[in-house]
Each structure stands twice: as C-alpha cells, then as structure tokens.
Amino acid sequence: MKQFIILILFFVSLFAKIDINKATMQELHTLKGIGHKKAVAIMEYRKAHPFKSIEDIKKVKGIGEKLFEKIKNQIEVNNTKVK
C-alpha cells in the first residue's frame, strides 16, 4: 500500500508542484535527491522558519545549489499564512 501511495504521488508530482511549506514526508520523497534525512530536515527547518521562496530551501542542511537545480521546477511556496 505504501508503495502504491508513493507511486500515485510521483505521478501527481509530474503535473503539480509541491508546496514545501505543507508537503508531507511522502510528497517530499517524490523529489529527486530527497530521502528520509533531507525530508526530515526540511520539515524541521520549516517549523521554525517557514519558506518565503523556493530558494530558501537551500538554507536546509544538505541542500545546496546542485540539488536545488534538480528540484526547483517541482517545488513552490504558497505565500499564504502557514500554520
């Protein structure tokens, strides 16, 4: 079942961008180069510092320019108030 959900999220991610302020662990895993550790780091970082732009993801430990270039077309930041 878990693999099926990840597969569905992968196909959805081909057409829709992932809001990095609200993405679930599974949604983050669909991004190329984002494994468990980086997904956790993203989720921890955004608790204290909600992303204001997609470039802010480079402030997360382990995400540099090279990885950002791979995922930048798959992510977005919805600038409405984040809870």
Side-chain angles (χ1 to χ4, degrees):
M1 182 65 159
K2 181 179 176 183
Q3 291 173 337
F4 178 72
I5 292 171
I6 291 173
L7 184 61
I8 297 256
L9 289 172
F10 171 75
F11 284 114
V12 168
S13 72
L14 292 175
F15 303 104
K17 292 187 178 189
I18 294 173
D19 183 341
I20 55 176
N21 275 326
K22 298 176 184 172
T24 64
M25 182 74 70
Q26 291 82 9
E27 289 170 324
L28 292 170
H29 283 168
T30 65
L31 299 171
K32 187 170 180 96
I34 303 294
H36 182 72
K37 281 186 174 183
K38 287 185 180 129
V40 169
I42 291 167
M43 295 176 88
E44 289 296 317
Y45 181 90
R46 74 183 184 200
K47 283 181 187 177
H49 314 281
F51 299 107
K52 294 181 179 154
S53 71
I54 63 170
E55 289 82 8
D56 285 349
I57 200 167
K58 293 185 282 185
K59 296 176 183 176
V60 176
K61 185 177 180 178
I63 301 179
E65 189 65 37
K66 191 173 181 180
L67 180 54
F68 175 72
E69 287 297 318
K70 288 181 184 178
I71 64 173
K72 71 180 182 180
N73 294 325
Q74 300 171 349
I75 61 175
E76 68 181 359
V77 172
N78 184 341
N79 288 323
T80 59
K81 187 174 180 181
V82 178
K83 293 183 180 182

